[in-house]
C-alpha cells in the first residue's frame, strides 16, 4: 500500500531551528510537497521537490532523497506564527496526492 | 492573491437539507479540481476528483449520490452535500492545478466549514 509517515507533534523554541521528517512508500513518484496549515484554515504551499537535494526558500528549506524515500522540511529562526501543522504529500505515478497525517509544530517562547 | 476561491466559507444547515459549495479558479482554467474533507485534527481526505465536462471520480467509501459534484465549466466546480446529517459536519476544501502555468503547485481554496444541526 501507499504510506506517508511523519511525526505527530514536535515542540521547538522561538528563534531555534526545527527539522520535520517525512518518509514515504508510494507507487511511483512525481514529486513531494510540503504544506503549512494553521488551525481552521486551508493548507498553503511551502515547497515542491522532485529531484534529490536541498531547495532553500527564505527561512524554509526542503530536502529530498528519492532512493531513501525521505524528505525533511527545515525551519530556521522560528517565529511564533510558525506554530501550525505541516503536511507532507507525495504525487504518485497517477499524479494523485498521497497525504501524510501532518506534524503539529508547537513553538514556545 | 487567491487563485482558487471557495464559497461559502461557513455554512450552517438543518439536518436533511442540501448545501452547495462552490470552487472557482480565478485566473486559470482548471480541467481538474479536487475535493477534500478534513475532520478536526485529522489529515486531508480526498473525496473525489472533478473533471470538467465528465463525471467525477469518487474515492472508495465516498457516496456519489450524497456528495454530488458538478464541473460544468473550466473555472467552476460545485460540491452539493445532499440530505446532510450532523456527521457530515466537516471542513471541505477544493484544490486545482494550473498545468499551463506551473503544474507543480496545487492551489487550495479557502475551505468551507459545514455545520449540520
Amino acid at each position: 500500500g501507499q504510506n506517508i509517515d511523519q511525526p505527530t507533534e514536535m515542540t521547538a523554541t522561538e528563534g531555534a531551528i526545527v527539522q520535520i521528517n517525512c518518509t514515504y512508500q508510494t507507487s511511483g513518484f512525481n514529486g513531494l510537497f510540503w504544506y503549512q496549515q494553521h488551525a481552521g484554515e486551508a493548507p498553503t504551499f511551502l515547497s515542491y521537490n522532485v529531484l534529490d537535494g536541498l531547495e532553500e526558500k527564505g527561512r524554509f528549506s526542503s530536502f529530498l532523497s528519492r532512493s531513501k524515500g525521505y524528505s525533511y522540511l527545515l525551519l530556521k529562526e522560528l517565529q511564533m506564527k510558525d506554530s501550525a501543522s505541516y503536511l507532507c504529500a507525495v504525487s504518485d505515478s497517477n499524479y494523485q496526492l498521497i497525504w501524510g497525517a501532518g506534524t503539529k509544530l508547537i513553538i514556545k517562547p | 492573491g487567491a487563485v482558487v476561491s471557495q464559497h461559502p466559507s461557513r455554512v450552517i444547515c438543518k439536518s436533511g437539507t442540501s448545501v452547495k459549495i462552490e470552487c472557482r479558479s480565478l485566473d486559470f482554467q482548471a480541467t481538474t479540481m479536487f475535493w477534500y474533507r478534513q475532520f478536526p485534527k485529522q489529515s486531508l481526505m480526498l473525496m473525489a476528483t472533478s473533471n470538467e465536462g465528465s463525471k467525477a471520480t469518487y474515492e472508495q467509501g465516498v457516496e456519489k449520490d450524497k456528495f454530488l459534484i458538478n464541473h460544468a465549466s473550466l473555472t467552476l466546480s460545485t460540491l452539493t452535500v445532499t440530505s446532510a446529517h450532523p456527521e457530515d459536519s466537516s471542513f471541505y476544501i477544493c484544490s486545482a492545478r494550473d498545468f499551463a502555468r506551473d503544474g507543480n503547485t496545487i492551489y487550495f481554496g479557502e475551505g468551507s466549514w459545514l455545520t449540520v444541526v
Side-chain angles (χ1 to χ4, degrees):
Chain A
Q2 308 206 93
N3 196 50
I4 309 279
D5 284 317
Q6 51 182 130
T8 305
E9 187 174 296
M10 298 182 72
T11 303
T13 304
E14 191 176 14
I17 300 173
V18 71
Q19 177 175 311
I20 303 174
N21 296 323
C22 171
T23 57
Y24 63 90
Q25 291 177 309
T26 56
S27 55
F29 179 83
N30 278 303
L32 185 145
F33 298 82
W34 282 98
Y35 280 83
Q36 180 191 60
Q37 186 178 25
H38 286 99
E41 298 180 12
T44 54
F45 173 78
L46 290 179
S47 68
Y48 170 77
N49 294 68
V50 68
L51 299 176
D52 291 350
L54 186 69
E55 294 275 346
E56 296 185 75
K57 194 184 291 186
R59 294 190 298 116
F60 294 1
S61 303
S62 57
F63 171 83
L64 175 67
S65 169
R66 288 171 297 171
S67 62
K68 295 181 180 178
Y70 167 70
S71 172
Y72 67 72
L73 179 69
L74 191 71
L75 293 78
K76 302 177 185 176
E77 301 169 18
L78 286 170
Q79 301 174 11
M80 297 303 292
K81 66 178 183 179
D82 296 330
S83 291
S85 286
Y86 291 85
L87 305 171
C88 171
V90 172
S91 183
D92 70 8
S93 56
N94 294 318
Y95 292 93
Q96 287 273 55
L97 275 185
I98 314 300
W99 290 90
T103 299
K104 182 179 180 181
L105 178 63
I106 300 168
I107 310 296
K108 295 186 174 179
Chain B
V3 294
V4 174
S5 178
Q6 217 174 310
H7 177 80
S9 57
R10 289 184 181 274
V11 58
I12 300 173
C13 71
K14 291 185 177 180
S15 187
T17 62
S18 296
V19 62
K20 182 186 286 187
I21 301 170
E22 293 186 347
C23 179
R24 293 180 185 274
S25 56
L26 298 181
D27 62 353
F28 67 98
Q29 295 181 332
T31 54
T32 302
M33 291 185 175
F34 304 90
W35 285 98
Y36 292 89
R37 180 168 53 183
Q38 187 176 33
F39 292 106
K41 299 184 181 180
Q42 295 187 24
S43 186
L44 293 168
M45 265 179 29
L46 179 65
M47 297 176 67
T49 302
S50 170
N51 303 298
E52 187 269 335
S54 65
K55 291 182 179 179
T57 304
Y58 290 82
E59 295 300 300
Q60 194 172 8
V62 178
E63 300 173 60
K64 61 181 180 181
D65 294 329
K66 180 171 181 62
F67 298 99
L68 300 178
I69 291 173
N70 186 297
H71 195 152
S73 78
L74 285 170
T75 60
L76 174 65
S77 175
T78 60
L79 167 68
T80 302
V81 183
T82 63
S83 187
H85 289 101
E87 57 264 32
D88 298 324
S89 298
S90 185
F91 190 47
Y92 292 86
I93 312 172
C94 70
S95 72
R97 262 167 132 159
D98 181 2
F99 284 99
R101 174 165 56 185
D102 174 10
N104 301 329
T105 302
I106 298 164
Y107 300 98
F108 284 90
E110 302 92 335
S112 300
W113 279 104
L114 170 63
T115 303
V116 184
V117 298

